[in-house]
Amino acid sequence: MAAPGGGDGALWVEVRALLPGAEEGLTLALSGEVEDCILPLLRRARGLLYGVAGRPGAAAAAALRRLGDVLRDYSWEKLNVGPWREVSKAWRQVYAYGCLFGALAEVAAGRPLAPAVRLCDMGLLMGASVLDNVLVRLVRVLQARLPRGKRRAAAEGSAKRVRIDPPPVPVVQPEDELPHLHCPSLEHFRDNYLIPQKPVVLEGIMDHWQCMKKWSVDYFCQVAGCRTVPVELGTRYTDEEWSQKLMTVSDFINQYIVNENNVGYLAQHQLFDQIPELKEDISIPDYCCLGEGEEDDITINAWFGPEGTISPLHQDPQQNFLAQVFGRKYIRLCSPQDSENLYPHESQILHNTSQVDVEDPDFVRFPNFRKAAFQSCILMPGQVLFIPVKYWHYVRSLDISFSVSFWWS
C-alpha cells in the first residue's frame, strides 16, 4: 500500500483554506528586525503559494520546498547562538514560516505526510506563532490523514535492559506524611495552605477529567504517535551523561517505555500547546483562580516516562499543582526555610537544584542535610499535590507514569 500522502486535490483545498484568501492577507509580519535578505525570501515563498489557481505545480512545489529549507537553515543558526531566552521572537517566527512553507510544499508535491507533520512540530517546538497559530491547525488536518499509531510489543530478542530489582516502594512514616484533603473549598485551601504556603495532597478534584478514563500508553500511541517531542535521556538532569533528543512519541514509547532501553523522559514539555486536543481532556484546577495572573499565564507541562525517572531535589519559581493521571510517584518536600541545609549547586544554571541525592545522601560531604525536615507522599492516580512556590521537591516515578503540572503565580 502506498504511504499516506498529499496527492489528492481535496487535501490541498482543505490545507489552502487555512491561509488568507488573498496574497496581501498573508502579511509576513514579524515581531522585530531581521536581516535584509529574509523578507525577499518570505515574499518569494508567498508568491509561489498564490501565483496560480489551485495546487502549485511540481516546479513551484520544489521551489517552495527549497525556500523553506533556506529559511529554516538560516534562522536555525540564529536560534542557537546563545541562551534561549535571548533569542529574538522575530527569528523564531522566520523559522516557523520556513516550517510552514516546507510542510505546504510536501503537500503540494503529493509526498508522504509524515515529514510535513514533523515540520509542523519543529515549527511549534522551536518557532513562534504565525498567522494565528496556523501550524497547530495545519498539523491537525495532516494528522487526520495518517493512520492512527499502534503500540508495538517488545520485539523478540530485542536488547531489553537487564533489570536490576528496583528499590522497594518507600514506606512513608505517619509523622512525615503530607495531609490529604477531599475537595476543600476555595476559602479553606486559601486560608490553610495557599497563604501559609503549606503543601497538601488534594483528592477528588480531577475525578471528572476525561484523561482519567481515556489516557494510557496505547492511547498516546494512537493520538500522538507521529508527533515529534523533546525527550530527556538519562535518569536525572544533573547526571553528566544526560542529554536531550527529538523523536516521535511512538519511537519514545517503543524505545523507553516498552523496550526499556535506558531511561527516557518526556519531561516539562508544553505538550498541550503543541497538541490542543489533549488539553480538552484536562481542566485547570479551580484553586488557580486564587492567583494573581490570568488563565493564559498558567504554564501546563506534561511529564511522561517509565519507572525510575527522577527529578532531583529542586525548587520552582511558581506555585505548582502536580496532577497524577496514571502510575505512582514518590515525592519528598522540604520548606525553603531549610535551603541552607540542602546544599544548592553553586553554578547559576543549577542554583535551584540540590547537590544531595535524597535517597542516598552523603552525610560526609553534606552533614547539615540531616537537619532538613522533610514531608513525603506516594502520589496516586487521581491525586493532585500542591507544591508552594520555592518549596524544594524530589520526585521518583514508581511505575510508568503520566503527570500534568500547572505552574501559576
Side-chain angles (χ1 to χ4, degrees):
M1 190 173 91
D8 62 296
L11 175 59
W12 179 256
V13 171
E14 190 174 0
V15 164
R16 182 63 182 75
L18 301 175
L19 303 176
E23 183 171 350
E24 57 271 17
L26 206 163
T27 61
L28 302 172
L30 301 176
S31 297
E33 294 185 1
V34 295
E35 293 171 17
D36 292 342
C37 62
I38 295 298
L39 281 176
L41 294 173
L42 291 170
R43 294 189 188 110
R44 196 182 312 167
R46 178 181 63 184
L48 290 167
L49 284 174
Y50 289 89
V52 295
R55 193 168 73 191
L64 185 63
R65 190 182 191 203
R66 287 194 297 272
L67 285 167
D69 290 344
V70 170
L71 289 165
R72 291 194 307 279
D73 289 347
Y74 200 101
S75 54
W76 184 258
E77 297 296 323
K78 304 295 183 181
L79 302 186
N80 289 281
V81 294
W84 182 250
R85 64 180 177 275
E86 297 177 8
V87 173
S88 161
K89 183 179 179 181
W91 281 113
R92 292 179 61 203
Q93 289 171 322
V94 172
Y95 185 80
Y97 275 120
C99 292
L100 172 64
F101 293 139
L104 292 173
E106 297 291 307
V107 177
R111 298 169 64 89
L113 294 181
V117 169
R118 178 177 170 82
L119 281 170
C120 291
D121 279 328
M122 291 301 296
L124 291 168
L125 292 170
M126 304 297 294
S129 177
V130 295
L131 300 176
D132 193 25
N133 223 1
V134 67
L135 288 173
V136 166
R137 292 178 282 124
L138 174 58
V139 76
R140 185 179 299 164
V141 170
L142 300 181
Q143 188 177 349
R145 297 294 186 108
L146 290 174
R148 289 169 75 87
K150 293 182 179 179
R151 173 180 165 192
R152 293 197 299 268
E156 290 285 334
S158 64
K160 284 183 70 97
R161 181 173 64 202
V162 177
R163 283 192 68 99
I164 301 169
D165 286 339
V169 175
V171 176
V172 177
Q173 299 300 327
E175 63 270 20
D176 298 332
E177 188 169 6
L178 285 165
H180 288 233
L181 282 179
H182 185 83
C183 297
S185 67
L186 291 174
E187 293 78 8
H188 184 84
F189 173 77
R190 180 195 64 205
D191 295 342
N192 294 277
Y193 296 96
L194 179 59
I195 292 175
Q197 290 287 276
K198 292 181 179 180
V200 62
V201 175
L202 303 175
E203 299 178 341
I205 70 171
M206 57 183 290
D207 293 351
H208 64 287
W209 295 6
Q210 288 298 306
C211 63
M212 299 305 296
K213 301 175 183 176
K214 294 166 61 175
W215 289 7
S216 65
V217 173
D218 286 337
Y219 182 75
F220 282 105
C221 260
Q222 292 169 16
V223 303
C226 64
R227 304 301 298 272
T228 297
V229 293
V231 173
E232 298 182 359
L233 304 181
T235 302
R236 61 190 87 196
Y237 63 76
T238 50
D239 292 347
E240 285 188 10
E241 64 272 18
W242 181 89
S243 63
Q244 289 181 296
K245 183 179 181 180
L246 292 172
M247 62 178 67
T248 66
V249 170
S250 285
D251 285 344
F252 164 65
I253 288 172
N254 286 313
Q255 292 178 36
Y256 297 102
I257 303 290
V258 176
N259 288 322
E260 300 172 341
N261 295 318
N262 302 311
V263 176
Y265 198 11
L266 198 169
Q268 196 175 321
H269 176 48
Q270 294 181 31
L271 183 69
F272 308 100
D273 290 338
Q274 185 183 356
I275 310 177
E277 297 92 321
L278 292 174
K279 194 173 184 178
E280 297 170 4
D281 294 337
I282 61 175
S283 300
I284 294 174
D286 291 343
Y287 307 99
C288 291
C289 74
L290 298 170
E292 298 175 351
E294 300 295 325
E295 185 171 304
D296 288 345
D297 299 327
I298 298 170
T299 301
I300 307 176
N301 283 317
W303 309 77
F304 180 26
E307 170 194 341
T309 58
I310 290 173
S311 294
L313 186 64
H314 68 286
Q315 56 181 187
D316 296 316
Q318 289 183 289
Q319 319 279 8
N320 183 6
F321 283 119
L322 182 64
Q324 193 66 14
V325 180
F326 58 78
R328 301 165 300 160
K329 284 186 166 173
Y330 173 55
I331 304 176
R332 300 193 68 187
L333 298 103
C334 188
S335 167
Q337 295 175 356
D338 255 328
S339 293
E340 63 181 16
N341 296 322
L342 303 182
Y343 299 90
H345 283 270
E346 295 180 1
S347 66
Q348 180 60 29
I349 195 169
L350 287 175
H351 71 280
N352 70 329
T353 302
S354 170
Q355 301 176 62
V356 185
D357 182 342
V358 168
E359 294 193 74
D360 187 21
D362 183 342
F363 291 121
V364 175
R365 290 182 62 199
F366 311 112
N368 289 340
F369 189 73
R370 293 182 187 273
K371 302 177 183 178
F374 280 89
Q375 293 176 283
S376 305
C377 73
I378 294 177
L379 196 66
M380 305 293 287
Q383 295 180 340
V384 179
L385 172 62
F386 170 57
I387 305 174
V389 61
K390 294 289 184 75
Y391 229 87
W392 293 88
H393 50 290
Y394 166 89
V395 185
R396 174 165 64 90
S397 60
L398 303 177
D399 312 293
I400 295 171
S401 167
F402 198 109
S403 315
V404 182
S405 64
F406 301 83
W407 289 349
W408 53 292
S409 59

